[in-house]
Amino acid sequence: MSNFAPSDTNPPLGNHKKHRKRRGGIFGWQFLLVLTALIFGGVGFFSMSMLLKLPSRKDCSDVFWPVASASMRLYCAQVEAEEETLSGYLQAIKMVRELDANHPMRQEINRHLKNWYLGILQLAEKSFQQGELKDAIATARRIPLDQFQPAEGDLQKMVRDRIDKWQSTWNEAEKIYNQTQAYLRREQWQEAFQESLGLLSVGNQYWETTKYKELEQKIQAARKDGNRLSHAREIAKSGKVSDLVSAIRLLENIDENSALHQEAQNEIREIGHKLLDAAEAQLENQNLSQALSIARRIPSSANLEAKVQDFTTLAKARSLAWQQTVVRLEDAIAQAQKISANRPMYAKAQRLIRRWRLNIDDLLVLERAEQLAAGNNISDWQAAISQASEIPPGNPLWEKAQERIDGWRASIQRQQDRPILRQANEYAQAGDIDSLEKAIRQANLIAPNRALYQEAQANIERWQDEIERQQDQPYIDEAKRYANQGDLETAIEIAQEIRPGRVLYSQAQSLIELWRQERQDQQNLQQAYRLARRSSPDALLKAIEHAHRVSNNSPWRSQAETAIAQWSRQVLGMAQDLSEYDIRNAIDLAERIPEYTPAHQTAQRNIERWQLLLNPPKPEADESDLLPSPNFIDSPLPAPETQTNE
């Protein structure tokens, strides 16, 4: 039984003090119990109020962290994390990460830590979507994965997987972008457009919007630049200097940000080399001013400034060397030596210098040869040839030396062969066939490779023509005699004896053609007379047609025209006679009279009158006033004279 349990019996009187003392003890115990309850209740209330009361940031900044409670750390960490910034999340994690793993608040702390880790990952995702891959990865890697609890292993995997996904997405987007650029450089517009569409589903807002629009603009710009590139290439095909310069100007308009910029630069450089080649071609033709003019037109965009400068220097040097004198060659060498070893045309300058130095040596050899040849006799020319032959093939002066040698050899041959040709000319002076043939045999002694060969052959041809003329002229003369006698057949046969290739063949053929035409004219006129004897309208008209076939330069033409005039009048008279009783047939006959005959105009006037008789105009007054006079028709022409047929 507890000592505080009440007694069932009253205590004795003698024990009153003792009883009072016990009652006084009971009162003190109750007081202490109440006091204790008040103390613990107050502490609990104070603690709850402290937990419920949110301190300000100033309170967190004033906290002395080594002795700060877990609740204070967690609260201040939450305050930092509310900013949703990387520094805020990291500061929040730092505030609670030092708490023991077995701390009573660890579960609550871990829950907040996971949210903060996910917040950092969300910030990294935002950077990734904005196109900041490196910042996104760097942000994600700021998450202290080494402090994860085993239960949070899935979060570690999430971070690694997210980074891998970002990198994979980025690589895929770059691949699409670069492939589109490659299609643009190859001017494959449709393929570029199709490839660019892949960015719209790549899974990154930056690539799907900003980079896609950028690529779309590049495609549009590349199409325009592609047209410029094609047009420039088409212009440059002509190879004209003005067109090449125009092509470069067109290519210079392609912006450096264009996908075709590099291709345009390559084209500009290639066209620049073509201009330099054109300048070189002018220089080869010894046209210095034109060569320098072309070189100056090569724009700086071709990146050939150093070559153009060297070309200009060498062009001036080469122009000095064109005169091929020792002094000028030495000046050319001095000019070419201005090109230093680090210049693009240094090697070419050195080759020219070596060539010109050899030229100087060879010029001295050639000068000595020309001095030897000044004696103008066979021995001197032979000595000069021997001297000039020391200049070997491939030497710049070799061609000039060969020209001199050929000239001296020709002089030797002319001096050797001139007596032969002189003797042939003496034989030919007699003019008879035997003498001419002897002259030909003499001139043929000059061989084809000799200097006087062409002259000898010209004389031989002239003498051969004279022989043929003397042989064939009798045929021409005899044929003409027969033609003058009217025997054209025999004349033609005799002229045909002159065969093709003979000197008088063309003359004979001209005569044969003339006589054949004359014979044909004679036959036409004879046929016309035979037809005219029939005296019918059809026969007379056919006779006129045959007579008209006689050529204008024929001796029979005058007789043919006389006959045509007579027969046309006869036909007209027949038409006039026919009009007395048959106007329609008279008109038909008159219309058949050819316009080249004298009776044609008269026939046309009669036709008009006869047609008025057939189709009189409608009278406007008294019809009797409009009747034609009986004497309206022309009187018939007098009958033509009777033609004497041959």
Side-chain angles (χ1 to χ4, degrees):
M1 178 178 296
S2 172
N3 293 329
F4 295 100
S7 172
D8 293 336
T9 60
N10 291 327
L13 183 63
N15 294 333
H16 180 68
K17 290 182 179 181
K18 185 177 180 180
H19 178 70
R20 290 184 63 183
K21 187 179 181 180
R22 185 183 301 139
R23 289 188 60 175
I26 293 172
F27 176 78
W29 172 80
Q30 290 175 339
F31 176 75
L32 290 173
L33 182 61
V34 172
L35 181 62
T36 300
L38 289 174
I39 291 173
F40 280 104
V43 170
F45 175 79
F46 178 76
S47 297
M48 288 300 296
S49 64
M50 289 297 293
L51 286 173
L52 294 175
K53 182 183 178 182
L54 296 178
S56 65
R57 281 191 62 86
K58 184 176 180 181
D59 295 333
C60 289
S61 61
D62 294 338
V63 173
F64 184 62
W65 294 109
V67 297
S69 65
S71 59
M72 179 60 70
R73 287 178 177 273
L74 181 57
Y75 161 72
C76 290
Q78 287 177 296
V79 172
E80 290 290 342
E82 283 177 357
E83 296 180 359
E84 297 183 353
T85 62
L86 177 61
S87 60
Y89 286 131
L90 293 176
Q91 184 64 24
I93 294 170
K94 180 180 179 181
M95 288 180 179
V96 298
R97 69 182 178 182
E98 296 178 357
L99 295 176
D100 188 82
N102 297 322
H103 193 280
M105 297 183 67
R106 170 51 61 183
Q107 186 174 1
E108 179 68 14
I109 290 172
N110 286 345
R111 183 176 63 81
H112 285 289
L113 281 173
K114 185 172 183 179
N115 290 335
W116 298 337
Y117 294 158
L118 291 176
I120 294 175
L121 196 58
Q122 187 62 32
L123 291 177
E125 179 69 28
K126 183 178 181 181
S127 296
F128 171 70
Q129 292 296 334
Q130 293 174 348
E132 303 294 338
L133 176 64
K134 292 182 179 180
D135 289 349
I137 294 175
T139 299
R141 287 177 175 169
R142 296 290 297 275
I143 299 174
L145 299 177
D146 56 326
Q147 299 179 15
F148 281 15
Q149 298 300 317
E152 296 167 344
D154 58 339
L155 192 57
Q156 295 180 356
K157 184 176 185 303
M158 180 188 297
V159 173
R160 287 192 295 267
D161 290 347
R162 185 70 62 88
I163 292 175
D164 291 343
K165 181 181 178 182
W166 292 340
Q167 291 175 331
S168 175
T169 300
W170 201 271
N171 291 337
E172 179 64 21
E174 286 184 334
K175 180 181 178 182
I176 294 172
Y177 192 91
N178 293 335
Q179 183 60 49
T180 303
Q181 292 267 64
Y183 282 134
L184 293 179
R185 287 190 292 270
R186 294 196 293 269
E187 301 179 51
Q188 295 175 296
W189 317 125
Q190 187 62 31
E191 291 82 354
F193 174 73
Q194 292 295 334
E195 184 70 20
S196 68
L197 295 178
L199 287 182
L200 296 176
S201 58
V202 77
N204 179 273
Q205 186 178 1
Y206 171 72
W207 284 100
E208 292 174 358
T209 56
T210 303
K211 297 300 285 183
Y212 175 76
K213 290 181 180 178
E214 177 185 310
L215 204 53
E216 190 176 34
Q217 292 172 355
K218 283 181 176 290
I219 293 173
Q220 294 174 355
R223 282 181 178 272
K224 295 180 181 178
D225 293 337
N227 292 334
R228 291 193 184 100
L229 193 60
S230 299
H231 186 41
R233 287 169 175 164
E234 191 65 28
I235 293 175
K237 283 182 180 179
S238 70
K240 295 180 181 178
V241 172
S242 58
D243 289 344
L244 293 175
V245 173
S246 298
I248 289 180
R249 298 303 182 199
L250 191 60
L251 292 170
E252 287 176 336
N253 292 326
I254 297 179
D255 189 80
E256 62 180 3
N257 295 323
S258 171
L260 295 179
H261 176 70
Q262 187 57 49
E263 184 66 22
Q265 292 302 304
N266 294 339
E267 287 288 336
I268 290 174
R269 188 171 182 83
E270 182 178 345
I271 295 174
H273 279 106
K274 289 182 179 178
L275 285 170
L276 206 55
D277 292 341
E280 178 67 26
Q282 291 295 328
L283 200 58
E284 289 292 334
N285 293 329
Q286 298 191 1
N287 192 340
L288 177 63
S289 60
Q290 189 65 24
L292 294 179
S293 174
I294 295 173
R296 284 193 293 268
R297 299 181 71 180
I298 300 175
S300 58
S301 58
N303 293 323
L304 296 174
E305 293 94 336
K307 279 192 174 182
V308 171
Q309 292 172 359
D310 289 355
F311 174 83
T312 303
T313 302
L314 285 182
K316 295 177 180 178
R318 291 167 68 179
S319 67
L320 293 171
W322 289 339
Q323 298 184 25
Q324 288 293 303
T325 65
V326 174
V327 174
R328 287 301 186 184
L329 287 172
E330 288 175 347
D331 292 341
I333 291 172
Q335 176 73 9
Q337 285 175 336
K338 294 179 180 180
I339 298 178
S340 57
N342 61 343
R343 302 292 297 180
M345 288 193 176
Y346 174 75
K348 184 173 185 178
Q350 293 303 305
R351 287 196 301 272
L352 290 172
I353 290 171
R354 289 193 296 270
R355 172 182 173 180
W356 294 333
R357 283 173 177 165
L358 289 175
N359 283 6
I360 292 174
D361 296 338
D362 294 332
L363 275 173
L364 297 175
V365 173
L366 198 56
E367 286 178 3
R368 286 194 295 271
E370 290 174 344
Q371 291 171 358
L372 290 172
N376 288 329
N377 57 64
I378 292 178
S379 60
D380 291 338
W381 288 327
Q382 289 174 340
I385 290 172
S386 177
Q387 179 72 26
S389 296
E390 294 180 4
I391 300 176
N395 188 288
L397 283 177
W398 184 80
E399 290 185 2
K400 185 176 182 180
Q402 290 304 303
E403 290 177 2
R404 298 288 191 276
I405 291 172
D406 291 342
W408 296 328
R409 283 176 178 164
S411 298
I412 293 173
Q413 292 170 4
R414 279 192 292 269
Q415 198 169 84
Q416 291 172 338
D417 294 343
R418 180 60 66 185
I420 298 174
L421 197 56
R422 188 180 300 114
Q423 183 65 52
N425 285 324
E426 291 176 359
Y427 291 150
Q429 287 177 358
D432 60 276
I433 292 177
D434 290 340
S435 298
L436 292 171
E437 289 178 344
K438 188 176 181 180
I440 290 173
R441 288 194 296 272
Q442 177 71 12
N444 276 328
L445 296 176
I446 300 176
N449 59 345
R450 304 289 288 181
L452 293 179
Y453 176 76
Q454 295 297 332
E455 183 179 347
Q457 291 301 307
N459 289 340
I460 289 171
E461 184 177 351
R462 187 175 70 255
W463 297 332
Q464 185 64 43
D465 288 347
E466 181 60 29
I467 291 173
E468 293 177 359
R469 186 174 289 106
Q470 293 183 22
Q471 291 172 339
D472 295 342
Q473 189 62 45
Y475 292 104
I476 297 292
D477 296 340
E478 186 177 5
K480 286 182 178 180
R481 283 195 297 272
Y482 277 101
N484 291 335
Q485 296 170 5
D487 190 352
L488 298 178
E489 290 293 339
T490 303
I492 291 172
E493 290 178 1
I494 294 173
Q496 287 177 336
E497 293 294 326
I498 301 175
R499 313 311 302 169
R502 306 283 288 181
V503 67
L504 295 181
Y505 176 75
S506 296
Q507 182 181 353
Q509 291 300 307
S510 297
L511 290 171
I512 290 171
E513 184 64 27
L514 176 65
W515 294 333
R516 283 175 175 167
Q517 183 62 49
E518 187 176 339
R519 182 181 61 184
Q520 183 64 45
D521 292 342
Q522 187 180 24
Q523 292 173 352
N524 285 332
L525 191 56
Q526 290 173 351
Q527 178 65 18
Y529 281 126
R530 284 194 292 270
L531 291 169
R533 290 194 192 102
R534 302 175 187 174
S535 298
S536 66
D538 290 341
L540 289 172
L541 290 170
K542 289 183 179 179
I544 292 172
E545 181 181 352
H546 276 77
H548 186 62
R549 294 175 184 173
V550 176
S551 57
N552 292 330
N553 58 351
S554 172
W556 304 98
R557 184 63 192 180
S558 176
Q559 185 176 348
E561 289 178 351
T562 301
I564 289 171
Q566 178 182 345
W567 297 334
S568 65
R569 291 191 184 97
Q570 284 183 255
V571 174
L572 179 59
M574 294 177 181
Q576 289 172 335
D577 293 341
L578 189 59
S579 68
E580 295 292 337
Y581 56 88
D582 190 350
I583 293 179
R584 294 187 185 279
N585 285 330
I587 291 174
D588 292 342
L589 181 57
E591 285 180 339
R592 295 174 63 188
I593 298 175
E595 62 181 3
Y596 53 80
T597 63
H600 175 72
Q601 291 184 356
T602 304
Q604 293 300 310
R605 289 195 296 271
N606 286 339
I607 289 171
E608 291 177 1
R609 293 171 182 172
W610 295 335
Q611 287 175 339
L612 285 174
L613 289 175
L614 290 176
N615 303 296
K618 294 181 179 181
E620 295 180 0
D622 188 0
E623 294 184 0
S624 62
D625 296 336
L626 299 176
L627 290 176
S629 172
N631 298 322
F632 183 78
I633 303 175
D634 284 353
S635 300
L637 291 175
E641 297 179 1
T642 304
Q643 176 67 42
T644 302
N645 295 322
E646 296 183 359

